[in-house]
Amino acid sequence: MVESVVKNWQGEQVGETTFELRVAKEETASHIVHRALVRQLTNARQGNASTKTRSEVRGGGRKPWRQKGTGRARAGSIRSPLWRGGGVIFGPKPRDFNLKLNRKERRLALRTAFVSRIEDLIVVEEFSTELSRPKTKELVAALARWGVVPESKSLLILSEIADTDNVYLSARNIENLKLIAADQLNVFDLLHADKIVVTASALEKIQEVYSA
């Protein structure tokens, strides 16, 4: 059971909330989170780097000069890897970098990463009604009242995100702020942020989605 204070739009403490998420054992927690992080970063690779071997480079079908009598070294093709413009030895080819991690392990790693950031977690009341229109300046001021330093990297977790929502339109131009929905959490964003701001409704959704 984890306890956390709840702040309102003005940054005042208005209550407390508790949540409970099953996490990995202490001796294996860092290992499972590391595996999930490596998987996420590796799976993001495109894997489309490609070079041509000597058989794929255009030209070079004719022997550049006769075998003997010229005083030069023997050469059978101008596309030899030894030549400028020739093929590449052991160069990269398109490949799949994807790593597999069981669904239960992924969710366990996600819960463990989230709970491990409890010291940097800020729970706030639902504030969408406070923004009558998109206003980045007001949201930046609110983040400062909640204890988020402007230069620090912060993650704002909402229960749901719409492209026409005033919170989304206000947050998209803040340089060090990333907006994410409660059901779209990932290990990298949870570990990368200096501060994590989550609304009370989003915290309930996290427990609902990831408790199983």
Side-chain angles (χ1 to χ4, degrees):
M1 186 73 69
V2 181
E3 296 183 358
S4 180
V5 300
V6 181
K7 297 182 179 181
N8 59 13
W9 178 251
Q10 286 73 32
E12 303 165 344
Q13 182 178 341
V14 293
E16 293 186 353
T17 185
T18 60
F19 65 94
E20 187 172 6
L21 293 171
R22 186 170 59 86
V23 298
K25 297 178 181 178
E26 185 176 353
E27 57 269 20
T28 60
S30 60
H31 176 65
I32 187 69
V33 172
H34 178 263
R35 286 182 61 201
L37 179 61
V38 170
R39 172 188 173 272
Q40 181 180 343
L41 296 177
T42 303
N43 291 3
R45 297 183 65 175
Q46 293 182 340
N48 56 1
S50 181
T51 56
K52 291 184 177 181
T53 64
R54 64 181 296 163
S55 64
E56 296 167 329
V57 179
R58 182 182 176 89
R62 180 172 64 88
K63 188 174 175 65
W65 52 74
R66 58 196 177 94
Q67 182 81 347
K68 292 179 175 293
T70 64
R72 290 178 288 187
R74 298 175 293 187
S77 170
I78 62 173
R79 295 303 175 233
S80 165
L82 304 179
W83 284 52
R84 179 178 177 273
V88 177
I89 305 174
F90 303 132
K93 287 291 184 183
R95 55 174 291 194
D96 182 10
F97 285 96
N98 285 358
L99 296 176
K100 182 182 177 183
L101 193 65
N102 292 336
R103 180 174 177 271
K104 288 185 177 180
E105 289 182 300
R106 295 200 305 268
R107 296 173 77 88
L108 179 61
L110 198 60
R111 292 194 300 266
T112 304
F114 183 77
V115 174
S116 70
R117 299 305 309 276
I118 187 61
E119 296 295 331
D120 303 306
L121 187 68
I122 302 171
V123 183
V124 299
E125 289 183 325
E126 192 67 41
F127 59 90
S128 56
T129 55
E130 301 289 345
L131 294 170
S132 57
R133 61 193 177 95
K135 198 69 176 176
T136 300
K137 189 175 182 179
E138 293 181 8
L139 183 56
V140 170
L143 289 169
R145 292 193 295 269
W146 293 333
V148 178
V149 181
E151 294 78 18
S152 64
K153 297 182 292 290
S154 52
L155 180 67
L156 178 57
I157 306 175
L158 303 178
S159 56
E160 56 184 17
I161 299 175
D163 292 345
T164 57
D165 189 34
N166 288 335
V167 178
Y168 168 78
L169 296 173
S170 302
R172 63 181 179 176
N173 201 35
I174 302 177
E175 182 179 3
N176 294 320
L177 177 67
K178 181 166 185 179
L179 197 63
I180 194 171
D183 57 354
Q184 300 293 323
L185 296 183
N186 62 83
V187 173
F188 177 81
D189 286 335
L190 290 175
L191 298 180
H192 184 65
D194 296 319
K195 291 290 184 180
I196 300 175
V197 180
V198 57
T199 62
S201 58
L203 190 58
E204 293 178 3
K205 190 166 186 178
I206 289 174
Q207 294 181 83
E208 177 186 344
V209 173
Y210 300 105
S211 290

